[in-house]
Amino acid sequence: LTEDDNYQESVITYQITVKNAADSGFGFEDPNPVNRKYVKNDTYSNIASGGSGTGKVTYSITSGNAATIDKNTGELTINKAGTVEVTATREADDKYAEISVSYSLTIEKAEQDDFGFDVLSPENQFITNDTYTNKATGGSGNGKITYSVKSGNEFANIKDSSSPVVTLTKVGGPVTIEAVKAEDDSYEEVSAEYTFYIIKSPQTEMNFETTEKTIVYSPDLTYRNPLHGGSGTGAVTYEILSGDAATIDE
């Protein structure tokens, strides 16, 4: 107030503080992304944009360890199955306040590929072989492989679940063997199986000591021709296949 004839000049002041305005309209291209199956070396991008501010946008993972992130681009590198929360933050500028938005992404375990036995359809096994080995290999994960007799336990068994060796105990079947590769951080459990029968083994060749002999008849004549060979313990029986010049003790 300027001075006049009776009063001096008078001055007073006041202060105004202008605060940064709250920003709005800042968000991710896909605020609610659908679940993804794990794929080795997979990446995922979901950019945050919009709003009125001009501050720099940076990205971070605020929860979960299934992925890593490029803080400048927001690109995720998927490392395993799991859920991550990603946050994008726009810095304050001279007009608008800092703002942050987040999204969650779930990476599901994938199915394993190419898991199976070395021999897909093995031949029937002779009981005298005692054991049969058919190893399971492949699969995408690194879970442990275990073996079991799925059916036919009365004919065979597996003594060590970490070994593919099947012990043959009795003629019969079918016997079904299952191998299971356990799940890991990225892949689901996977299994494979094969089926076979356990059969009787062929005996070694049997032979008479003499295959052809001429003898002279006389009353009450007997003739014995020893038999050699064969592997089993079954009873031996005899019969005359042709001719009526003799009888035989079966």
Side-chain angles (χ1 to χ4, degrees), residues 88-108:
T89 300
R90 171 175 278 162
E91 296 176 350
D93 59 17
D94 57 357
K95 295 179 181 178
Y96 293 94
E98 178 181 285
I99 184 172
S100 294
V101 291
S102 299
Y103 74 88
S104 291
L105 178 67
T106 296
I107 300 97
E108 300 174 343

Side-chain angles (χ1 to χ4, degrees), residues 95 125 148 167 227 239 246:
K95 295 179 181 178
Q125 298 298 306
S148 66
T167 299
L227 180 69
E239 64 176 314

Side-chain angles (χ1 to χ4, degrees), residues 40-171:
K40 189 176 181 180
N41 300 321
D42 191 22
T43 59
Y44 175 72
S45 292
N46 192 5
I47 305 301
S49 60
S52 304
T54 58
K56 181 180 179 181
V57 178
T58 57
Y59 300 84
S60 63
I61 293 177
T62 47
S63 176
N65 62 357
T68 55
I69 196 166
D70 185 317
K71 68 177 182 178
N72 295 314
T73 66
E75 182 179 75
L76 289 174
T77 298
I78 309 301
N79 298 321
K80 62 179 181 178
T83 299
V84 292
E85 182 182 71
V86 175
T87 298
T89 300
R90 171 175 278 162
E91 296 176 350
D93 59 17
D94 57 357
K95 295 179 181 178
Y96 293 94
E98 178 181 285
I99 184 172
S100 294
V101 291
S102 299
Y103 74 88
S104 291
L105 178 67
T106 296
I107 300 97
E108 300 174 343
K109 292 184 178 183
E111 297 178 355
Q112 299 196 50
D113 296 324
D114 301 323
F115 180 68
F117 285 97
D118 290 342
V119 181
L120 300 181
S121 300
E123 297 179 349
N124 295 334
Q125 298 298 306
F126 294 124
I127 184 65
T128 52
N129 291 347
D130 296 330
T131 62
Y132 176 66
T133 300
N134 191 8
K135 187 177 180 181
T137 58
S140 309
N142 52 26
K144 182 180 179 181
I145 297 175
T146 55
Y147 301 85
S148 66
V149 179
K150 188 175 181 179
S151 64
N153 291 278
E154 64 269 40
F155 308 112
N157 63 68
I158 291 178
K159 297 178 180 179
D160 179 359
S161 63
S162 64
S163 168
V165 178
V166 180
T167 299
L168 314 179
T169 59
K170 183 180 178 182
V171 171

